């Protein structure tokens, strides 16, 4: 059984690396929830962060060809930032995720709209060989 590898960096950052498989989405969500509760973040921040993690990790699992995914959570100056990094080429325009325009009956495709609605700020960083999608919350 493959497990997640966690690392802790100075300054309030925790990072988990795991294989790009859907079975790791709930485990990642659980780790992030436990961390934010340990950091004594408000319940509404924890709930919003859980949704952000679910959407960002799901996008990395479903829309990239990466072998691994990295999820990081950082707390600084009462701001929680969640980021998900993959090293795949992805399937989006230029490798940068963009909000889809699903029709009213579509069962998926609204994840980045949800991220934009929940986060105080969000964006993408693309480098040679990796893509990071991040979202910040007050809290």
């Amino acid at each position: 059984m493959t497990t997640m590898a966690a690392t802790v960096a100075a300054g309030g950052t925790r990072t988990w690396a795991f294989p790009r498989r859907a079975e790791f989405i709930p485990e990642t969500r659980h780790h992030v929830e436990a961390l934010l509760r340990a950091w004594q973040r408000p319940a509404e921040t924890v709930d919003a962060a859980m949704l952000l993690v679910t959407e960002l990790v799901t996008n990395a699992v479903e829309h990239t060809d990466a072998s691994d995914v990295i999820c990081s959570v950082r707390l600084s100056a009462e701001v929680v930032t969640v980021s998900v990094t993959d090293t795949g080429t992805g399937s989006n325009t230029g490798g940068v995720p963009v909000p889809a325009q699903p029709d009213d009956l579509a069962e998926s495709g609204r994840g980045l709209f949800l991220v934009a609605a929940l986060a105080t700020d969000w964006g993408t960083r693309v480098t040679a060989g990796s893509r990071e999608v991040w979202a910040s919350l007050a809290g």
Side-chain angles (χ1 to χ4, degrees), residues 47-130:
D47 292 344
M50 302 299 292
L51 231 47
L52 292 174
V53 165
T54 300
E55 293 301 330
L56 297 179
V57 172
T58 298
N59 282 352
V61 167
E62 292 183 357
H63 300 293
T64 72
D65 62 0
S67 60
D68 295 312
V69 176
I70 299 165
C71 177
S72 295
V73 178
R74 183 178 72 236
L75 175 64
S76 61
E78 298 301 314
V79 173
V80 172
T81 301
V82 174
S83 68
V84 175
T85 303
D86 67 77
T87 56
T89 58
S91 60
N92 301 62
T93 307
V96 176
V98 293
Q101 305 252 336
D103 65 46
D104 292 341
L105 299 176
E107 293 184 16
S108 64
R110 294 175 183 82
L112 288 178
F113 284 115
L114 184 57
V115 169
L118 288 172
T120 54
D121 197 14
W122 76 281
T124 304
R125 293 181 194 96
V126 178
T127 64
S130 74

Side-chain angles (χ1 to χ4, degrees), residues 14-15 26 32 34 47 90 106-107 119:
R14 175 75 54 91
T15 300
V32 171
D47 292 344
E107 293 184 16

